[in-house]
Amino acid sequence: MSKLNTETLSQIKLDIRVPREITMNAACKKTNPMIMDGETRENIQAAREVCGGCPVSEKCGEWAIWHEPHGVWSGMTPRERKVMRKGQSLINIEDVQVLRQLIANLFSGKTVEALAEEYKVTDRTIYRWREQIKELNIA
């Protein structure tokens, strides 16, 4: 890894689990899950009606665009969320975990020289990675 992807780092700010605010306050929490699966036109329409009156619809949609490959979230189908991502992939949980470990390691107190040796990059790269992470306020 010689370059951190700023876009991917920005996504680390997002929780990989459904945020508690959504699970606690969503209009769909007592809805039949089959309606929210979005497998039929009828289910999609019914799910959109549920989502239409949801107090956390905006937050749900922001989260689902990057995390949910299935079902109707905030009234959006998987295909609609894919369009919203503009060709970018869903957040991969394993990638997020690797990046979190990298961030923890970069700010663990190890010397720049030791980190450069560990990642087989230059000292300058370690400094640049640290700055990128600081700019994103995720360390």
Side-chain angles (χ1 to χ4, degrees):
M1 175 186 292
S2 62
K3 179 181 172 194
L4 290 181
N5 181 320
T6 302
E7 218 166 285
T8 303
L9 284 171
S10 294
Q11 293 169 358
I12 292 174
K13 289 178 156 181
L14 300 172
D15 195 348
I16 59 175
R17 297 176 320 256
V18 179
R20 186 168 174 78
E21 178 184 348
I22 294 171
T23 59
M24 296 302 292
N25 302 314
C28 64
K29 78 178 185 180
K30 293 184 179 176
T31 302
N32 179 342
M34 295 305 291
I35 290 173
M36 305 310 290
D37 74 6
E39 297 258 336
T40 67
R41 288 181 193 257
E42 294 80 21
N43 284 3
I44 292 169
Q45 184 57 40
R48 286 185 170 150
E49 288 174 19
V50 171
C51 295
C54 184
V56 293
S57 183
E58 184 176 339
K59 185 172 185 93
C60 174
E62 290 170 2
W63 184 86
I65 288 169
W66 296 105
H67 294 88
E68 280 300 327
H70 307 289
V72 175
W73 290 74
S74 190
M76 293 182 287
T77 65
R79 181 174 290 157
E80 291 165 333
R81 292 192 302 273
K82 185 175 182 179
V83 169
M84 298 288 288
R85 287 192 307 275
K86 298 178 182 175
Q88 295 179 32
S89 303
L90 286 170
I91 293 175
N92 179 304
I93 291 172
E94 290 81 18
D95 291 344
V96 170
Q97 290 171 335
V98 166
L99 285 169
R100 284 182 174 160
Q101 290 171 349
L102 169 66
I103 291 166
N105 199 23
L106 288 174
F107 294 94
S108 66
K110 292 181 182 177
T111 67
V112 170
E113 294 79 16
L115 289 165
E117 176 69 25
E118 183 176 339
Y119 290 105
K120 309 289 187 236
V121 296
T122 65
D123 293 1
R124 183 171 179 254
T125 297
I126 298 299
Y127 285 117
R128 188 176 65 250
W129 286 354
R130 284 180 173 174
E131 282 306 309
Q132 288 174 325
I133 292 164
K134 286 178 187 174
E135 287 172 11
L136 293 168
N137 297 315
I138 56 177

